[in-house]
Amino acid sequence: MVLAKELESKSGIGWNETTKTFEATSDVWKALIKSNPKLRQIRGKYLHHLNILRDIYEKDIATGDRSGTAKERLQG
């Protein structure tokens, strides 16, 4: 979900509702993956339930500088 949210904010990439995938040119994907290698996981991936996950979690994603995972909070 977080990777999808990151992709939605980038220029040159779009969501295809029919195929349920993010689409962009090879050059755009190369640049995105170079900036965040985890985005490789989502390239060409069929994300059938993304809209449902958005409805459930979108308002619950922390984005501020104090945000972190439960594991990070326990360690810090």
Side-chain angles (χ1 to χ4, degrees):
M1 180 68 194
V2 174
L3 291 176
K5 189 74 172 170
E6 181 178 338
L7 282 177
E8 290 172 339
S9 69
K10 302 294 184 185
S11 178
I13 192 157
W15 173 252
N16 184 321
E17 186 62 36
T18 303
T19 62
K20 307 284 189 208
T21 60
F22 284 100
E23 296 180 344
T25 64
S26 288
D27 290 340
V28 170
W29 275 115
K30 283 180 187 177
L32 290 169
I33 291 168
K34 185 176 181 179
S35 69
N36 183 350
K38 289 183 178 183
L39 291 174
R40 178 170 294 152
Q41 300 170 24
I42 208 167
R43 182 180 184 178
K45 187 169 185 174
Y46 176 66
L47 302 169
H48 177 71
H49 298 293
L50 184 59
N51 288 335
I52 295 168
L53 292 171
R54 283 182 181 136
D55 290 342
I56 295 170
Y57 295 110
E58 196 161 70
K59 293 181 181 176
D60 295 330
I61 295 175
T63 58
D65 61 350
R66 297 186 61 184
S67 64
T69 66
K71 182 178 179 181
E72 289 170 336
R73 286 192 299 269
L74 289 173
Q75 291 174 348

